[in-house]
Structures are given as C-alpha cells and as structure tokens.
Amino acid sequence: MKHIAILLIFMLYACGSGKQSSIIITETLEVASFKVSCQGTNDVQCMQVRKKGQKNWAEFNIPIKGFEYQQGYKYTIEVIKENLDPTKVPGTVETLNYTLIKQIRKQKENTIRLHDVWVVQTINDIPVNDIGKQPQIVLELQLNNKKILGNDSCNKFFGAIEQVDDNNLQFGLLGRTKKMCPDMTAANLFYDTMQEVDGYRIEKLSLYLLNENDEEIMKLKKVD
C-alpha cells in the first residue's frame, strides 16, 4: 500500500498545480554493484542503471529519493519517474525526479573484488614461466574508470573494460608501448587470450578468466 500512496501523492500534486505540469511513470531499474567516474570528470561517481532486458549499463547521476545505495550489492528497484515541463518550473528546480517505491531485490556480488592488482600465473593451463622468458605479467583492473592497465615485463599496456557484472567480463582491444624484447611469446599469447575473455570467477585470492564456453583460459593471483 505504501507505493500506491506515494504514486497518488505525485498524481494529486501534478493535477493540482497548473504551474508545474509533469509526466509521471513508474520504472523498474537494475542498479549495478559499483559506481564509475561520471563522464567528463574523475571527481564525481555515478551509479550505473539499466532497465529490464537491457544488456549495457548507463551512468546515472540523479538522486533517488528514499534509496540508500550500498556498494557491493546489485539492486532491483521500482521507482516513480517525474518529468516536469521545463517551461513551467523555475530554472533552479530539477526537471527530472526519481522516488523509490520499493526495493525488489538486494544481492551481494563479487564484482567489486575485481578492482585490484593481479599477476598472471597460467595461460591455457600453462605456467607463464614455461611459455617464455618474461618473468611476470601484471595487470590492474580499475572498475571506477572501467580501465585495465598493466605491464607484460617488456611493455606497458592499457585498454577499456567493455562489459562487467557478476558473471560477465569483456575487454576492448589492448594498446601497448612498442618496445621490442628478446622473447615476446608469453606477452603475445596474453594479448590474444585477453580478447577471448567473456566471464570470470573469483575463489579466495585467485581470479579465473573464462571464455564464452565457461572454460578457464587464464588464472591470476591477487597481488598483496
């Protein structure tokens, strides 16, 4: 009954005020378990939301009245979306408002644990030290910027995290510096394998990268 009462209040407000006509709808949103830097700034963190059926997350920097966000949890919520006519409100008034009706689901996720520094141990079940002479490949996953940075013991590399949630993980093409080293075997296999990554799982201090068939193609260990 609480969410019905909230909706009625908004409807009465909109109908009773000729000066502030608005469009009111209800939406069901998924809220990701971590925030990202809002586009154009590194100082402000945005939530990520998507509607039912959507694959990609969108930045969301509008307060939702009554919603208390806790990082590390994925939410499904029902909200009232009120879109005021900008020609009928003062310039200092927000024209788009969200209010929580109810929290449908709150689920703890492992995604935030990806945000760390990792060292590659195996590629396709082969220890890195057995593939080439390069001593180690280290990468850092920055969820807040959706970036990947690292060093293959010869060149620095960088790229974008294209998709990430509790099960899925995909990277864009990785750029790298152009230094030539005597043995690039392990590095080249690493770059090729990273393009096959489609998911992951985390067990204790180990990160397993998986292909589209959920097969392990790389194992990494958290750096202390």
Side-chain angles (χ1 to χ4, degrees):
M1 293 298 294
K2 180 180 178 181
H3 67 277
I4 295 175
I6 294 173
L7 182 58
L8 286 173
I9 290 171
F10 270 86
M11 291 176 66
L12 289 170
Y13 172 76
C15 294
S17 174
K19 294 181 180 180
Q20 296 187 2
S21 61
S22 61
I23 299 173
I24 298 175
I25 62 173
T26 61
E27 291 184 339
T28 300
L29 302 175
E30 288 185 334
V31 185
S33 61
F34 64 96
K35 293 183 177 182
V36 296
S37 296
C38 300
Q39 189 172 6
T41 176
N42 290 324
D43 299 327
V44 180
Q45 296 285 297
C46 286
M47 291 191 298
Q48 300 179 93
V49 303
R50 65 185 178 190
K51 296 179 183 179
K52 185 178 181 180
Q54 292 181 331
K55 179 179 179 181
N56 296 324
W57 297 99
E59 292 179 7
F60 191 89
N61 196 30
I62 301 173
I64 301 175
K65 297 175 184 176
F67 177 54
E68 295 184 7
Y69 177 81
Q70 185 179 357
Q71 186 152 273
Y73 290 86
K74 179 180 177 182
Y75 296 84
T76 302
I77 59 175
E78 187 177 356
V79 298
I80 291 172
K81 177 182 177 182
E82 182 190 20
N83 199 340
L84 297 173
D85 185 343
T87 65
K88 297 184 178 180
V89 296
T92 56
V93 175
E94 293 289 342
T95 59
L96 188 58
N97 296 309
Y98 285 84
T99 300
L100 179 70
I101 298 176
K102 62 179 178 178
Q103 181 176 290
I104 300 171
R105 185 179 296 110
K106 179 181 180 182
Q107 181 180 355
K108 189 172 181 61
E109 286 196 338
N110 281 325
T111 310
I112 194 65
R113 293 180 61 194
L114 286 169
H115 188 94
D116 220 316
V117 179
W118 306 88
V119 61
V120 179
Q121 293 187 306
T122 66
I123 302 176
N124 296 325
D125 290 328
I126 304 174
V128 172
N129 291 338
D130 292 346
I131 299 172
K133 295 180 180 179
Q134 290 160 290
Q136 66 178 10
I137 301 172
V138 178
L139 61 89
E140 179 181 358
L141 298 177
Q142 299 181 351
L143 292 190
N144 58 330
N145 297 317
K146 286 196 171 181
K147 291 181 180 180
I148 174 174
L149 306 171
N151 193 305
D152 64 15
S153 292
C154 178
N155 287 290
K156 295 179 180 180
F157 61 84
F158 47 87
I161 300 173
E162 298 287 353
Q163 179 72 21
V164 59
D165 56 32
D166 198 35
N167 300 301
N168 303 309
L169 179 63
Q170 296 174 357
F171 302 102
L173 289 173
L174 299 180
R176 52 178 148 164
T177 54
K178 300 295 185 180
K179 182 180 177 182
M180 293 299 297
C181 294
D183 189 346
M184 302 288 291
T185 308
N188 290 336
L189 181 59
F190 166 75
Y191 293 120
D192 289 342
T193 306
M194 287 294 283
Q195 298 309 304
E196 301 177 24
V197 175
D198 194 61
Y200 72 97
R201 72 175 186 273
I202 298 176
E203 297 177 3
K204 296 183 179 179
L205 299 179
S206 295
L207 168 63
Y208 299 87
L209 300 183
L210 314 174
N211 63 17
E212 62 182 358
N213 297 318
D214 287 333
E215 299 167 335
E216 179 189 325
I217 54 177
M218 195 178 301
K219 179 184 177 181
L220 304 93
K221 185 177 180 180
K222 182 181 178 300
V223 176
D224 293 331

